[in-house]
Amino acid sequence: MNKNKKIAVIIILVCNAILISLLELIIPIPIPVPGVKLGLANIITLIAIVFLDLKDVLAIVLLRCLVVATLSKGLMMLLFSISGGISSALVMWLLYKKMFGLFSIKGISIAGAVVHNTVQIIIASYILKEPIVFYYLPILLISAIVTGLITGSISDLTIKEIRKREIFSDSV
Amino acid sequence: MNIRMLKKGDLILFLGVGLIIVLLLLWNNLSTASGNHLIAEVRKDGELVKKIDLDKVSEPEHIYFEEGIHQTILVEKGRIRFLESDCRDKICVQAGWLTKAGDKAVCMPAKTIIKINGESQQTDSIAF
């Protein structure tokens, strides 16, 4: 990818991530556990990991968290978005780049969701000064497997389609 | 390479996370005090705001938080809940009534937590 095309791709991915994060806020989740959510922006993070460098991936996650937190959740929740988003992006990047033979895109997505939820509930415990990790983690892990599988499947299909149509290659 | 197939690492991941879930559930079950004397604790910002003996509540009682995010907690005999909250997602209100030892409800935006501790009333009978 040449430099201009890469910047364009990053901007498109950031915009998409922001939009689906905001869209997700409208979808009601009937589980009264803090941290349970679909995490649709994970789809974009995975696409970025497959096609871009680590620093671009992190830039996309940071920008998305900043904008979404400012527009909706408030600054206190920014801490949660950024810590969860960055840690899961790092783990998914490691699994994809260093151990891809071992994991499918769906598996990587689930691992990302597991890390995301675990990091967030640990931070929540520190903030509340109350060990709620053990109480909520089982449900959060089950939720991570389900939502990770959903976002992983969507990412998988999207990544294949992008490869097939060579959308991110220089020739198009 | 077919990336739709589940791979070896995926299975290890599933088993690992599954094992952690089972262990955590077991741990939670074992560590919850089984006493039927219910003491509710309301904490905000890590500070204990109120400790209520739920068995001794005769009339419904409200606890109000006026600073920052407005919240109302309702206490009745044997149960307690977040009644109203100005936070965005209302997870705390959705959690509903807390009725047994080990139950918890939290509101992350407001940094409020309600939890019920079970204490047994006749501890001396098992002291020997």
Side-chain angles (χ1 to χ4, degrees):
Chain A
M1 241 187 280
N2 67 44
K3 204 181 167 217
N4 288 340
K5 174 141 187 172
K6 195 165 129 184
I7 292 171
V9 165
I10 291 173
I11 293 171
I12 290 168
L13 288 179
V14 171
C15 290
N16 273 286
I18 293 167
L19 272 177
I20 55 178
S21 293
L22 292 176
L23 212 63
E24 188 181 307
L25 295 175
I26 307 170
I27 305 169
I29 304 279
I31 303 165
V33 172
V36 172
K37 57 173 190 165
L38 277 169
L40 292 178
N42 195 36
I43 299 167
I44 304 295
T45 310
L46 263 167
I47 294 172
I49 285 171
V50 172
F51 293 104
L52 300 168
D53 304 329
L54 180 61
K55 71 172 187 357
D56 302 325
V57 174
L58 296 179
I60 290 171
V61 172
L62 271 176
L63 283 170
R64 183 250 300 169
C65 291
L66 275 173
V67 173
V68 174
T70 318
L71 289 180
S72 66
K73 303 174 184 172
L75 289 181
M76 210 277 267
M77 302 313 263
L78 180 62
L79 175 67
F80 286 97
S81 319
I82 286 185
S83 56
I86 295 288
S87 56
S88 71
L90 283 173
V91 167
M92 291 194 296
W93 183 83
L94 272 175
L95 292 183
Y96 181 74
K97 297 286 177 189
K98 311 289 174 194
M99 292 185 243
F100 186 61
L102 274 176
F103 293 92
S104 70
I105 292 289
K106 286 170 193 159
I108 292 172
S109 172
I110 292 172
V114 164
V115 169
H116 185 277
N117 286 0
T118 308
V119 166
Q120 287 198 332
I121 199 68
I122 289 172
I123 292 179
S125 293
Y126 269 103
I127 290 180
L128 291 172
K129 301 188 182 87
E130 182 73 37
I132 53 169
V133 178
F134 298 113
Y135 184 68
Y136 285 121
L137 199 52
I139 311 164
L140 285 171
L141 290 180
I142 293 167
S143 133
I145 291 178
V146 175
T147 59
L149 202 57
I150 295 170
T151 56
S153 304
I154 300 172
S155 308
D156 199 3
L157 292 171
T158 317
I159 288 163
K160 279 178 147 176
E161 200 61 27
I162 293 172
R163 280 219 176 98
K164 204 170 90 190
R165 299 192 190 184
E166 299 180 334
I167 293 169
F168 287 173
S169 71
D170 263 334
S171 55
V172 182
Chain B
M1 193 180 346
N2 185 359
I3 52 170
R4 287 182 85 169
M5 259 171 35
L6 286 184
K7 294 183 182 167
K8 206 161 99 188
D10 300 343
L11 292 175
I12 297 169
L13 181 72
F14 270 125
L15 289 176
V17 176
L19 187 69
I20 293 170
I21 293 171
V22 171
L23 287 177
L24 280 169
L25 287 174
L26 275 176
W27 168 263
N28 284 346
N29 252 330
L30 293 175
S31 61
T32 304
S34 56
N36 48 11
H37 187 63
L38 302 179
I39 310 285
E41 267 182 40
V42 178
R43 288 174 178 271
K44 193 170 170 69
D45 287 323
E47 306 275 317
L48 182 65
V49 176
K50 199 144 189 175
K51 204 168 180 175
I52 308 145
D53 187 336
L54 289 183
D55 296 338
K56 289 180 184 157
V57 179
S58 48
E59 304 233 323
E61 184 190 332
H62 291 85
I63 301 167
Y64 299 100
F65 289 113
E66 310 280 356
E67 275 175 48
I69 295 172
H70 290 227
Q71 289 185 302
T72 311
I73 292 169
L74 177 59
V75 190
E76 288 180 7
K77 188 172 168 57
R79 57 185 198 169
I80 181 166
R81 70 169 297 168
F82 281 101
L83 188 64
E84 283 171 330
S85 176
D86 280 350
C87 59
R88 189 186 59 83
D89 46 25
K90 309 266 190 283
I91 287 172
C92 48
V93 179
Q94 279 173 37
W97 289 106
L98 311 184
T99 56
K100 55 184 193 296
D103 280 0
K104 292 183 180 74
V106 306
C107 183
M108 271 328 290
K111 299 184 201 168
T112 319
I113 178 165
I114 309 175
K115 60 171 184 170
I116 299 185
N117 299 326
E119 286 171 21
S120 50
Q121 275 165 306
Q122 289 140 335
T123 42
D124 46 320
S125 62
I126 51 162
F128 302 98

